[in-house]
Amino acid sequence: QVQLVESGGGSAQAGGSLRLSCAASGSIFVINAMGWYRQAPGKQRELVATITSGGSTNYADFVKGRFTISRDNAKNTVYLQMGSLKPEDTAVYYCNAAISKVAGWGKVVTNDYWGQGTQVTVSS
């Protein structure tokens, strides 16, 4: 089984910062792209940032220059450093990863996995 466990959410004042972590564990052959998404009350889940296994990053326009995604491949962990926080950043943040594992007969299977979500609340 594969699990993604997030940590680091909480409350912050506008202009402040928080760092989220997400560690993958289980039967992992290789972790491909990893990313962070968020969902505010009454809204659809949206992409925040992604990072490839090689370190290439992609950000939603609304976080560019404020958030930084990074990963530690040795620890199977992805991070989201959030700065210059705004009240509109308030949401549940979800970790996502495309993880390959070896199934029967040596076949490599890749699936999408999600963390349980961590609440981030920014007050003005």
Side-chain angles (χ1 to χ4, degrees):
Q1 301 300 327
V2 173
Q3 277 191 314
L4 297 180
V5 178
E6 298 144 346
S7 60
S11 299
Q13 296 281 338
S17 60
L18 286 171
R19 189 172 93 145
L20 306 182
S21 300
C22 172
S25 63
S27 301
I28 297 169
F29 177 57
V30 65
I31 302 178
N32 304 293
M34 304 183 83
W36 291 94
Y37 291 71
R38 71 185 188 186
Q39 187 167 19
K43 294 187 177 182
Q44 290 189 330
R45 190 173 298 188
E46 59 185 359
L47 171 72
V48 176
T50 61
I51 184 168
T52 67
S53 56
S56 296
T57 58
N58 178 58
Y59 295 93
D61 286 343
F62 53 78
V63 302
K64 282 182 180 177
R66 301 190 299 122
F67 291 9
T68 301
I69 189 171
S70 61
R71 64 190 283 174
D72 184 334
N73 291 329
K75 295 181 179 180
N76 290 341
T77 300
V78 63
Y79 305 95
L80 185 68
Q81 180 67 48
M82 304 185 292
S84 301
L85 284 165
K86 304 175 181 179
E88 50 264 44
D89 293 321
T90 295
V92 178
Y93 284 71
Y94 296 91
C95 172
N96 170 265
I99 296 176
S100 301
K101 59 181 181 180
V102 180
W105 301 101
K107 182 179 179 181
V108 176
V109 177
T110 300
N111 289 305
D112 221 30
Y113 294 89
W114 292 89
Q116 79 284 1
T118 186
Q119 177 70 45
V120 170
T121 302
V122 183
S123 56
S124 56

